[in-house]
Amino acid sequence: MWDWSYAFQILPELANVLPITIAATVVGFAAACALGLPLSLARKSNYKAISYLALGWIEFIRSTPLLVQLFFLFYALPLYGISFSPFAAGVLGLGLHYSTYMSEVFRSGIDAVPAGQWEAAKALNFGKRRTWTNIILPQAVPPIIPVMGNYFITMFKETPLLSAITLVELLQTAKAIGSGSFRYLEAFTLVGLLFFLLSYPSSLLVGRLEKRFQRK
Amino acid sequence: MDDEVHGGRSPDGVHQEPVVKYRKVSKSFGSTVVLNEIDLDIYPGEKVAVIGPSGSGKTTLARMLMTLEEPTAGTIEVDGELLWHQEVKGKLVPANEKHLHNVRSKIGMVFQHFHLFPHMTILRNVTEAPIHVQGMSRAEATERALEMLEKVGLSDKVDEYPSRLSGGQKQRVAIARAVVMRPRVMLFDEATSALDPELVGEVLSVIKDLAAAGDMAMMLITHEMDFAGEIADRVIFTDMGSIVEQGTPEQIFERPQSPRLQAFLSRFRQTWFMGGVQEASISAEKR
């Protein structure tokens, strides 16, 4: 049955790898944003070929499981001489996968900017790049921050998948602890608890952000 | 007098090249013809008011000059340069973005719904384009912007955001933002139509001051007949995609020739007399 002293004994070991889980989330999320924005711009491109290519890529990535993509990056690509560390492969996989969702989020933000803003930018003779960086994106991004926050939390909860490509994160550590002592209850419960303790306050924060942007 | 308006001379009688030339310009959206083979010259410094029923194509006339709408046929010249076309090896081809960018710099526009940048302060709304489009130093742009904002009576609002301003104030900022670029031609697309009646006056007076300052040509698309009569050198009446009649304000408002203009003016005067009531209820609806 549940053993408190054992739980406290393994807690530091789990807490030790928590930064890896968090780092994978943060870097993965940054990659998702960095890839998602160009993807949404490509999707809106006037050149049909680029737009359809982006659409095809988005549909393909979304319609295949993240776990398969991670395996592909980590186990299959080295056959072609491209190999990543577990962390790099994990972050790249998360980033690629979620960039297809982030691109839709960016798109909704961009579409919500009134047409008049584009016209005003043109009338003042802003070039394409300036129109994006100075006029459109600063208006498109703030309203989608809550949605981005939700994806951040979702990604955080997906990081245990990275244990499948040997990244020593929370779940992997718990498994190791369990298989060493044959006590899985405490280890997995603590993993769940740690995720909950970080996710729940974050989702409360996102909820507050949402309310703030609605009021505006 | 007739000759002066209809002929190829500028209002003051001195021979000058037009700053804007429309030649056989047509525009259709799908199968709907909005403008049909329009010829129109605007001279440097000239104030041209465009009146006509809604759907007569007058807004499209301005939007094509601002490059927001591409003509279906015909050419527009700005300062002797083709706007939507460029010559490559003796052939007219559609203008590329660089060419449009160059010619567009001579045109400025004020929109019915202001379109201020909501994420920038009033000052930045006015300095943003001089800095990032014209490459002006921040200090110089700020100085010029403050000067412009003073002219439109908004010196005390420079650090506010647009959401804190009334419609009239927003439109005055929009005017400052466009004029600070020093265009050769300013377009006013129903600049007061979205305003509450009590705010119309402040915007019109700013436009009048600008008109009096002289050097900029203006095309004013408007429903304010008194205002058009007061500041325009020439009034153009458009209906069903054509310029039906043009002349001095006196000619247009006091001695209209065509039945269509007569009908338009009498219809307009009726609604005008029957009340601010109707106008007010329309603007209330908009809100």
Side-chain angles (χ1 to χ4, degrees):
Chain A
M1 276 293 105
W2 180 266
D3 181 344
W4 281 105
S5 68
Y6 178 67
F8 280 113
Q9 183 196 324
I10 63 171
L11 186 59
E13 210 176 324
L14 288 169
N16 262 342
V17 295
L18 194 57
I20 293 180
T21 292
I22 292 173
T25 313
V26 171
V27 180
F29 184 74
C33 290
L35 296 168
L37 184 58
L39 208 50
S40 73
L41 297 186
R43 188 73 186 87
K44 295 183 83 73
S45 170
N46 289 332
Y47 299 101
K48 280 266 160 12
I50 294 180
S51 173
Y52 281 120
L53 213 63
L55 179 66
W57 174 252
I58 288 170
E59 292 300 336
F60 175 71
I61 296 286
R62 280 191 184 183
S63 311
T64 44
L66 174 55
L67 189 57
V68 174
Q69 291 161 8
L70 289 169
F71 276 9
F72 184 83
L73 285 170
F74 189 69
Y75 292 115
L77 277 187
L79 297 178
Y80 298 93
I82 309 166
S83 57
F84 298 106
S85 69
F87 185 81
V91 158
L92 194 62
L94 280 174
L96 274 178
H97 193 81
Y98 278 90
S99 70
T100 61
Y101 294 95
M102 292 305 293
S103 77
E104 280 304 301
V105 176
F106 280 119
R107 197 153 80 105
S108 72
I110 291 163
D111 287 348
V113 176
Q117 292 294 309
W118 291 92
E119 296 194 342
K122 199 177 229 185
L124 289 165
N125 216 0
F126 283 97
K128 251 209 164 99
R129 203 176 60 87
R130 282 289 178 197
T131 301
W132 278 111
T133 58
N134 295 33
I135 316 283
I136 303 302
L137 289 179
Q139 295 183 63
V141 172
I144 58 173
I145 286 175
V147 189
M148 291 170 79
N150 280 330
Y151 273 111
F152 184 81
I153 295 168
T154 307
M155 277 180 73
F156 175 61
K157 290 183 297 180
E158 292 276 58
T159 53
L161 277 177
L162 305 190
S163 66
I165 53 167
T166 75
L167 183 69
V168 184
E169 42 67 73
L170 269 180
L171 188 67
Q172 183 80 337
T173 309
K175 243 163 76 184
I177 292 170
S179 60
S181 64
F182 297 104
R183 294 196 63 95
Y184 286 100
L185 175 65
E186 289 82 359
F188 288 149
T189 306
L190 283 176
V191 168
L193 207 60
L194 282 171
F195 271 105
F196 176 76
L197 284 177
L198 285 167
S199 297
Y200 186 60
S202 306
S203 69
L204 288 182
L205 183 74
V206 168
R208 279 182 59 177
L209 282 176
E210 222 159 21
K211 270 199 195 113
R212 225 182 93 189
F213 284 114
Q214 270 166 9
R215 247 185 289 134
K216 265 196 174 172
Chain B
M1 181 127 195
D2 262 328
D3 179 40
E4 230 170 66
V5 198
H6 296 295
R9 263 188 290 159
S10 63
D12 51 10
V14 183
H15 184 79
Q16 261 182 313
E17 276 301 305
V19 63
V20 176
K21 279 193 217 172
Y22 290 78
R23 286 296 175 270
K24 289 194 177 304
V25 173
S26 301
K27 175 70 184 176
S28 3
F29 294 100
S31 60
T32 318
V33 179
V34 180
L35 286 171
N36 191 19
E37 301 209 337
I38 297 285
D39 287 317
L40 172 64
D41 289 348
I42 299 171
Y43 289 89
E46 192 186 15
K47 320 299 179 229
V48 177
V50 183
I51 61 169
S54 7
S56 64
K58 52 194 194 308
T59 287
T60 307
L61 205 58
R63 288 174 59 84
M64 288 190 302
L65 186 53
M66 192 67 262
T67 71
L68 298 173
E69 219 82 74
E70 190 172 352
T72 317
T75 58
I76 303 176
E77 270 181 43
V78 177
D79 240 353
E81 235 182 318
L82 284 166
L83 175 62
W84 281 103
H85 304 81
Q86 58 193 135
E87 230 169 280
V88 176
K89 293 175 194 156
K91 268 192 189 169
L92 279 193
V93 297
N96 60 21
E97 182 51 39
K98 192 175 163 231
H99 178 86
L100 284 170
H101 184 84
N102 286 336
V103 186
R104 197 191 281 133
S105 66
K106 294 171 181 166
I107 316 288
M109 184 161 181
V110 167
F111 298 88
Q112 184 177 354
H113 296 285
F114 336 124
H115 302 331
L116 293 183
F117 303 132
H119 58 299
M120 299 181 189
T121 62
I122 298 313
L123 181 63
R124 239 192 99 197
N125 260 279
V126 184
T127 58
E128 194 72 358
I131 292 171
H132 295 295
V133 177
Q134 296 179 324
M136 201 179 286
S137 74
R138 187 166 294 274
E140 194 189 349
T142 305
E143 190 183 325
R144 264 170 68 169
L146 290 174
E147 198 181 307
M148 257 332 292
L149 286 167
E150 195 186 332
K151 268 190 203 157
V152 300
L154 290 171
S155 292
D156 54 331
K157 302 283 185 201
V158 292
D159 294 323
E160 298 278 13
Y161 282 86
S163 58
R164 311 259 306 165
L165 268 53
S166 72
Q169 290 170 330
K170 281 182 193 165
Q171 194 58 299
R172 285 186 279 151
V173 175
I175 292 170
R177 181 178 73 168
V179 173
V180 82
M181 301 288 279
R182 299 190 179 161
R184 302 277 322 268
V185 184
M186 268 294 294
L187 309 172
F188 293 87
D189 182 16
E190 308 199 14
T192 57
S193 299
L195 298 176
D196 293 340
E198 73 270 22
L199 300 176
V200 169
E202 60 187 68
V203 172
L204 293 185
S205 93
V206 163
I207 298 176
K208 272 180 213 166
D209 290 348
L210 279 175
D215 44 356
M216 252 183 329
M218 293 185 179
M219 186 198 259
L220 305 124
I221 290 143
T222 185
H223 292 291
E224 304 279 340
M225 300 298 157
D226 295 339
F227 167 71
E230 230 178 297
I231 78 161
D233 300 309
R234 179 161 47 130
V235 179
I236 288 174
F237 171 64
T238 60
D239 190 18
M240 308 205 300
S242 302
I243 295 178
V244 177
E245 196 168 337
Q246 55 180 311
T248 62
E250 296 77 47
Q251 288 171 326
I252 292 295
F253 295 125
E254 277 149 44
R255 281 169 277 127
Q257 303 294 312
S258 62
R260 275 197 272 174
L261 175 55
Q262 288 163 359
F264 172 73
L265 289 174
S266 74
R267 209 164 51 232
F268 189 84
R269 286 191 179 117
Q270 254 171 31
T271 45
W272 186 253
F273 285 131
M274 301 223 308
V277 184
Q278 199 179 342
E279 288 259 299
S281 71
I282 290 168
S283 62
E285 250 169 58
K286 272 183 190 157
R287 256 179 295 139

